[in-house]
Amino acid sequence: MKELSVRERQVLRMISESKSMREIAEELCISRSTADTHRANLMHKLGCENLNKLLRFAISEGLINLEDRQ
């Protein structure tokens, strides 16, 4: 697995919190296009063709922890 950037990890965490790409962009003070690019880079680096697979992979690899969610 390729190394994820800090920003990619932030975006992945926010996706796992069910935030929309618009909400992610606003919270991180980036454009929607940049947020979409981070998501695309995550999916490419992790070999996932959709968000469900991205989230499953992230959970299985310990990149996100659902137990911390309320």
Side-chain angles (χ1 to χ4, degrees):
M1 168 179 48
K2 294 181 181 180
E3 189 67 30
L4 300 180
S5 70
V6 171
R7 185 64 90 188
E8 288 167 340
R9 287 181 181 273
Q10 289 174 321
V11 170
L12 182 57
R13 177 185 49 78
M14 296 170 88
I15 290 171
S16 77
E17 294 169 349
S18 299
K19 294 189 178 184
S20 70
M21 297 312 292
R22 182 187 53 77
E23 292 170 321
I24 292 170
E26 287 177 5
E27 191 169 323
L28 296 177
C29 299
I30 59 177
S31 72
R32 167 69 193 267
S33 176
T34 300
D36 287 337
T37 298
H38 287 306
R39 182 186 61 200
N41 289 343
L42 277 166
M43 293 173 73
H44 177 74
K45 284 183 177 182
L46 301 177
C48 301
E49 59 266 3
N50 62 50
L51 285 180
N52 286 335
K53 290 183 180 182
L54 176 65
L55 289 173
R56 261 195 240 147
F57 180 87
I59 292 166
S60 71
E61 293 296 315
L63 298 174
I64 55 175
N65 184 354
L66 296 181
E67 293 178 9
D68 293 340
R69 309 282 180 251
Q70 294 184 22

